[in-house]
Amino acid sequence: MNNIPNKTFNEQVYEIVSSIPKGYVMTYKQIANKLNCRAYRAVGNALNKNPHPISKVPCHRVIKTNLELGGYAWDIMRKVELLEAEGITFKKIGYDPSKWIVKR
DNA sequence: CCGTTGACTCTTT
DNA sequence: AAAAGAGCCAACG
């Protein structure tokens, strides 16, 4: 996909992610879908290399399509705590935080 | 029904 | 130029 008007793919990703309301989460697929792409992978990668501070681009509000947490470049527990602080809760199943499910 | 494998997509290193 | 990366889905056993 190269119909990107002036902004790079990853800038578009940041814009969408930064527009996620507090207390709400969005999936990688939804973000990719909004860009008319299927590059869910690229979305995750953009957030991984994200050059912006977390306060500007809340990557912790981005989860997998099956509502699992997915990964996180810094501490996964950080993601959990931030989301809980926004009123989001999880089903803490197992010992792997990336597999915890977001309650909706 | 479940777990594993492969194909897809896009950016960055 | 090639491979990896915070994923998703379909197909196969």
Side-chain angles (χ1 to χ4, degrees), chain A residues 57-71:
Chain A
V57 180
C59 12
H60 58 274
R61 290 188 193 144
V62 183
I63 58 174
K64 301 212 305 185
T65 303
N66 58 302
L67 301 184
E68 289 180 0
L69 285 186

Side-chain angles (χ1 to χ4, degrees), chain A residues 10-51:
Chain A
N10 107 14
E11 284 293 321
Q12 300 283 343
V13 171
Y14 302 141
E15 189 169 334
I16 292 177
V17 173
S18 63
S19 71
I20 302 177
K22 172 178 171 291
Y24 195 72
V25 292
M26 190 165 282
T27 66
Y28 293 101
K29 189 177 185 181
Q30 286 297 312
I31 293 168
N33 188 35
K34 268 185 167 52
L35 296 174
N36 288 329
C37 293
R38 302 154 195 71
Y40 342 96
R41 234 354 176 113
V43 174
N45 199 7
L47 293 174
N48 184 7
K49 309 275 164 51
N50 130 37

Side-chain angles (χ1 to χ4, degrees), chain A residues 39-103:
Chain A
Y40 342 96
R41 234 354 176 113
V43 174
N45 199 7
L47 293 174
N48 184 7
K49 309 275 164 51
N50 130 37
H52 299 292
I54 186 169
S55 30
K56 192 172 161 86
V57 180
C59 12
H60 58 274
R61 290 188 193 144
V62 183
I63 58 174
K64 301 212 305 185
T65 303
N66 58 302
L67 301 184
E68 289 180 0
L69 285 186
Y72 204 65
W74 300 338
D75 298 310
I76 183 67
M77 291 310 282
R78 183 83 167 137
K79 188 173 185 175
V80 174
E81 289 178 25
L82 285 167
L83 287 171
E84 284 184 329
E86 293 182 355
I88 298 170
T89 50
F90 313 94
K91 245 179 160 183
K92 300 177 182 175
I93 302 177
Y95 306 94
D96 189 351
S98 40
K99 287 184 184 160
W100 291 353
I101 315 271
V102 174
K103 258 205 249 166

